[in-house]
Amino acid sequence: MIPAAGFGTRFLPATKAQPKEMLPVVDTPTIQYVVQEAVDSGIEDILIITGRGKRSIEDHFDRNIELERRLLEKQDEILYNELRSIEEMANIHFIRQKELNGLGDAIYHARFHCRNEPFAVLLGDTIVDSVIPCTRQMIDAYEQYGQTVIGVETVDPSKVDRYGIVGGDKLSETILQLTDMIEKPSIKDAPSNLAVAGRYILTPEIFSALEKTPRGKGNEIQLTDALRIILDQESIIATVISGKRFDIGNKLDFMKTTIEMGLKRDEFKAPLSEFIKEIAKNL
Ligand code: G1P
């Protein structure tokens, strides 16, 4: 499940009339990287929660027959095949969140789709660049422990108030048994500097927990608060994700992501490196 309904206020004015999830990193919308991660992790059925102003996400994963015809006429088979492969990536379903009541409420919209199965949540504005797809790492942890899994990463202590923060006891180098979770705490209230990294494996229990979750930070229904309720009844683990996480909703991170992902592309590596060295001389 990919929640992608938020306003994107941290990226205004770019997101006034277009979804932040469609902002391109190099030449590919952010959400396509996220769908690709799910597919590379073995997931075939994807539910995207959208909302008002998010139609272009649906269009992106739909066919564009006129454009395909034009590419065939121009005998541009490479681009034609690339476009067709986007439409065929996975079974993608959409539900619209009519009112923006927070991430927890967005997840609640998946209750009839996910029913009695555990499911992965990938935030639509977060790309993780890793050798083993991040969601695969999470599924592996779920298969080993059979519990809700939260993907976390270490952040600078000055940034704990931007994230859900977890506290827990180490089970191994990368796995923690959670004892606490707080959404965007102040430094003094933070149980650690391990931040929720936008990847989760949830169990259907989350839906009844969400029904009991009052509005929290920002007057929104917070997923972190619902997970805190689950933690009172059953255990939850966190796994430190291996890979580099990019938060596209944040302007500076977005610029850094574009550069790093551009440098990974064969056709841009040399000219982009040259350009960076050139401008770095004058910094
Ligand atoms: C959401 C979650 C937060 C998590 C973050 C990761 O916050 O509520 O717990 O740490 O995503 O990006 P948001 O960025 O939507 O404010």
Side-chain angles (χ1 to χ4, degrees), residues 18-25 28-32 54 56-58 60-61 124:
Q18 65 169 333
K20 64 177 167 179
E21 296 80 8
M22 285 301 289
L23 293 172
V25 172
T28 302
T30 302
I31 195 157
Q32 192 182 321
K54 302 275 183 169
S56 57
I57 298 179
E58 294 175 42
H60 184 70
F61 292 102

Side-chain angles (χ1 to χ4, degrees), residues 109-202:
H109 280 67
R111 64 195 179 283
F112 300 119
H113 193 92
C114 299
R115 291 198 180 265
N116 295 322
E117 283 184 285
F119 58 100
V121 173
L122 295 80
L123 299 194
D125 58 2
T126 299
I127 294 176
V128 183
D129 184 33
S130 57
V131 180
I132 300 172
C134 184
T135 298
R136 185 70 245 170
Q137 300 171 29
M138 310 274 301
I139 296 171
D140 289 345
Y142 178 81
E143 282 173 353
Q144 191 180 349
Y145 291 90
Q147 299 171 8
T148 296
V149 185
I150 316 287
V152 295
E153 68 168 4
T154 305
V155 296
D156 190 89
S158 65
K159 292 185 180 164
V160 291
D161 60 354
R162 298 187 194 175
Y163 296 98
I165 301 293
V166 304
D169 305 317
K170 259 188 164 186
L171 291 183
S172 74
E173 244 344 276
T174 55
I175 304 277
L176 258 88
Q177 189 79 64
L178 290 198
T179 50
D180 205 3
M181 277 188 92
I182 310 179
E183 181 67 12
K184 303 193 175 84
S186 62
I187 294 190
K188 72 171 175 35
D189 293 332
S192 75
N193 59 338
L194 279 175
V196 176
R199 297 291 184 268
Y200 312 76
I201 306 287
L202 303 179

